[in-house]
Amino acid sequence: MKGTHSGCEISAMCLALALGNFQSLSAAPVTLAAFGHRVIAPGLSAGYSNGDTWDGAWGLNGTLFLQHDDGTGFNKGANVHDRLCQLQGTPEIPSTLFGVDLNPGILGDSLKGSPCYSTGIYEVDGVLYHNVCYSRQIPGAWVFHHTSILKSLDGGRNWMNHLGAMNSMPPDDINRSFFPSEDWGQVNFVKYGRGGMALAVDNAQTYVYFTASWGALRLARMARTNLPMLDRAKMQFYAGGDGLLDSSWTNDIKSGKPIPVPSSSPTAVVFNAALGRYLMTSFTSDSWQQPPIESTLRIMEAPHPWGPWTLVLDENVNQFEGDNLTWAFLLPKFTSRSGKKMWMSVAGRAPYGLQLIPIYLSTNSVVTQEAEDASMTDGAEANSKSGFSGRGYVSLDAVGKKCEFTFKMAAAGTYIVNFRYNTEGYGRFGLGVNGKERARVELGKSEQPYATWTEMSILARFDIGTNRLRLECEDNVGKINLDRLSIALWSTDDPDDRKDFAEFSLQEKLP
């Protein structure tokens, strides 16, 4: 199965393991990213899922454990706050996806009456760990707090909490929780390989890292040898500086310091071994608000869990996929051999269940061209909307108005194309490459309570030499303000990349 690495499939990785220094071999930053088309799990042709969050743990035996909150799972079981599931198959072939409810489900009901919500799962050295918290749900003022860790020695049938009680949820009490701080309300893991196997990078072979990322990103660690004891006194919290130094860590949770990030929401940090970089997602959305706050999904990258973190993609996806996609979690099991394609789980309102979205990543140099420097047809240069780059942007407000960008490509291949835009309503661009119509791109409403500008990402093929990309207004619904366009090579069509790219086309972002 793609993404399931047995032995040493990546020669560079094997060499790095032998040398004990992986990161120095492959550490070019991720420069540009694109979202592909969602797959509705457990399959496009049949199946059922219900719930949100859908974080995953890649077991040593290849099992992909998933947890969900607030739903009936894959098998229309009881509606619970917290359920453990298993997903079989691969989103590369959607018809192979098959979901099973484990607990409550075929493994038992020890989680059935849980008042807790899951915040992350991970397997380390054959033990399954499950973070849970309590929630105060007030629209616009959600609170997740009093987080603790459960562990299972039998694949999720039975659970022990940090106080030593079996199949009993930890108390809803800040002083008796594993993380006695309101800053640690949504706790997940920094995730490495299958079964928690980690390369000799950032001391991950010695420590398991934890993150809290509601409002701010915080980091903690515990020695892998201490983790099975669930002794909260052994937890160390990042206090700033070089995370490779012991002096950067403290046992005092109140002395931990937040890590600067461009955006933060409940998520898991994932190490992409082939690229030698850490990836993290975030989302902004609230379908309970009136009018609803539309969904934006983001991708960030860093050389270490403690940063520095850089925003790579910031895209309003509401018009692309619809209905407030939230709870974005990267799933390491489905990462391609090259590392240039990953998959993330999301949940939305249509359907309210597991959905999977591919992410395409480039580490190549980015060429950016400001819209005001492109060739315009009836577009008007403006600068009244704050937050633009360059000296302004181009306003396109009627059918036929367009910008044409010219790039000179050093190689033929598939490129990530990203353009930044602003609109108060919904709009539509026609996209052409070298004089040929390629797609119609649906734009979201960029102006939200949290944003003025947003992005759209696509993949497109270009020839060697001079290429022209045209964005043309296709409706009269209002102004579409185009800020800039960026492009980076994704693949020159090597065999692995052709497999990664098989299900994607420009038509994916048609309505």
Side-chain angles (χ1 to χ4, degrees):
M1 181 184 299
K2 184 187 294 289
T4 303
H5 305 309
S6 59
C8 288
E9 292 182 337
I10 304 173
S11 58
M13 184 188 298
C14 297
L15 176 61
L17 284 168
L19 297 175
N21 181 18
F22 177 79
Q23 186 120 0
S24 64
L25 295 180
S26 178
V30 174
T31 55
L32 212 56
F35 292 131
H37 189 63
R38 68 177 175 177
V39 171
I40 298 174
L44 291 177
S45 59
Y48 180 92
S49 70
N50 181 268
D52 59 28
T53 66
W54 302 105
D55 184 37
W58 185 11
L60 187 62
N61 65 359
T63 298
L64 178 61
F65 295 100
L66 293 173
Q67 61 77 28
H68 79 76
D69 290 349
D70 287 340
T72 59
F74 286 112
N75 307 132
K76 299 185 179 180
N79 192 309
V80 295
H81 286 325
D82 178 19
R83 174 180 275 110
L84 181 70
C85 305
Q86 180 183 354
L87 184 67
Q88 302 171 9
T90 170
E92 299 289 346
I93 308 174
S95 61
T96 67
L97 292 174
F98 181 75
V100 178
D101 296 342
L102 298 180
N103 187 351
I106 62 174
L107 285 185
D109 288 331
S110 59
L111 291 175
K112 184 174 182 179
S114 169
C116 294
Y117 288 83
S118 172
T119 72
I121 56 176
Y122 195 39
E123 184 180 297
V124 181
D125 300 330
V127 179
L128 194 60
Y129 295 91
H130 186 38
N131 298 336
V132 295
C133 72
Y134 290 86
S135 175
R136 184 170 71 248
Q137 300 192 5
I138 302 171
W142 304 94
V143 175
F144 296 93
H145 57 180
H146 306 169
T147 303
S148 294
I149 306 176
L150 308 177
K151 72 174 183 179
S152 175
L153 302 178
D154 56 8
R157 183 183 298 274
N158 295 287
W159 297 93
M160 178 180 288
N161 67 33
H162 70 285
L163 301 175
M166 184 66 71
N167 295 329
S168 176
M169 292 302 107
D172 187 5
D173 180 344
I174 188 172
N175 294 314
R176 299 182 69 201
S177 67
F178 195 95
F179 295 90
S181 168
E182 294 294 288
D183 291 331
W184 286 80
Q186 279 275 347
V187 179
N188 212 313
F189 300 85
V190 177
K191 298 186 177 181
Y192 292 87
R194 184 170 57 188
M197 290 189 296
L199 299 163
V201 55
D202 295 321
N203 290 329
Q205 73 278 22
T206 303
Y207 294 96
V208 173
Y209 292 105
F210 297 79
T211 64
S213 50
W214 186 274
L217 178 66
R218 296 175 184 272
L219 188 66
R221 72 180 188 180
M222 181 179 281
R224 296 173 74 98
T225 54
N226 289 332
L227 183 60
M229 294 180 284
L230 296 185
D231 181 357
R232 73 179 189 180
K234 301 293 185 181
M235 188 70 77
Q236 297 180 318
F237 300 90
Y238 178 69
D242 184 353
L244 293 174
L245 302 177
D246 288 342
S247 59
S248 296
W249 302 87
T250 174
N251 292 108
D252 179 12
I253 194 171
K254 294 181 180 179
S255 297
K257 298 293 192 300
I259 298 170
V261 288
S263 175
S264 182
S265 69
T267 187
V269 173
V270 168
F271 181 64
N272 184 317
L275 300 183
R277 306 294 287 191
Y278 292 85
L279 280 300
M280 178 171 59
T281 56
S282 77
F283 70 89
T284 304
S285 175
D286 195 338
S287 58
W288 297 107
Q289 294 288 332
Q290 293 300 323
I293 297 174
E294 291 192 358
S295 175
T296 288
L297 300 178
R298 302 177 187 88
I299 303 295
M300 292 160 281
E301 75 94 44
H304 310 284
W306 44 89
W309 286 95
T310 301
L311 184 65
V312 178
L313 178 61
D314 184 357
E315 181 169 336
N316 181 311
V317 298
N318 228 64
Q319 188 75 341
F320 160 32
E321 292 292 5
D323 208 10
N324 289 281
L325 300 180
T326 56
W327 304 106
F329 295 95
L330 292 167
L331 301 175
K333 178 175 181 178
F334 300 130
T335 301
S336 68
R337 291 188 182 188
S338 68
K340 293 190 292 186
K341 181 180 180 183
M342 302 181 75
W343 285 85
M344 68 178 174
S345 66
V346 294
R349 293 286 167 188
Y352 177 65
L354 174 62
Q355 303 171 44
L356 300 161
I357 292 179
I359 302 169
Y360 300 86
L361 304 168
S362 174
T363 58
N364 291 302
S365 59
V366 177
V367 177
T368 297
Q369 188 174 147
E370 296 291 336
E372 63 271 22
D373 295 327
S375 174
M376 283 183 277
T377 300
D378 298 327
E381 186 175 335
N383 58 16
S384 60
K385 291 284 184 184
S386 62
F388 58 83
S389 62
R391 67 176 184 272
Y393 52 87
V394 173
S395 182
L396 307 171
D397 59 1
V399 173
K401 295 186 177 183
K402 59 189 176 184
C403 281
E404 187 171 76
F405 300 83
T406 301
F407 295 92
K408 190 170 184 178
M409 309 304 185
T414 301
Y415 285 74
I416 294 177
V417 179
N418 175 290
F419 59 88
R420 189 169 186 258
Y421 71 92
N422 159 269
T423 178
E424 296 178 3
Y426 298 104
R428 187 179 295 136
F429 269 149
L431 185 146
V433 176
N434 294 328
K436 296 180 180 179
E437 298 295 325
R438 295 297 300 275
R440 175 180 295 163
V441 181
E442 299 285 339
L443 305 180
K445 187 189 300 182
S446 76
E447 296 201 4
Q448 299 292 322
Y450 56 84
T452 301
W453 297 85
T454 190
E455 297 171 357
M456 174 65 76
S457 61
I458 61 174
L459 294 181
R461 289 193 55 80
F462 292 99
D463 299 324
I464 191 170
T466 301
N467 290 260
R468 296 180 302 279
L469 186 147
R470 174 181 48 79
L471 292 171
E472 182 172 343
C473 192
E474 288 202 346
D475 53 39
N476 296 307
V477 298
K479 290 182 180 179
I480 300 173
N481 298 313
L482 184 59
D483 185 28
R484 64 173 185 249
L485 187 144
S486 299
I487 188 167
L489 178 66
W490 182 74
S491 167
T492 53
D493 296 329
D494 64 66
D496 278 344
D497 289 345
R498 282 202 296 271
K499 293 177 184 177
D500 291 347
F501 190 61
E503 92 297 340
F504 191 95
S505 74
L506 279 173
Q507 306 304 311
E508 297 269 354
K509 290 193 173 180
L510 292 179

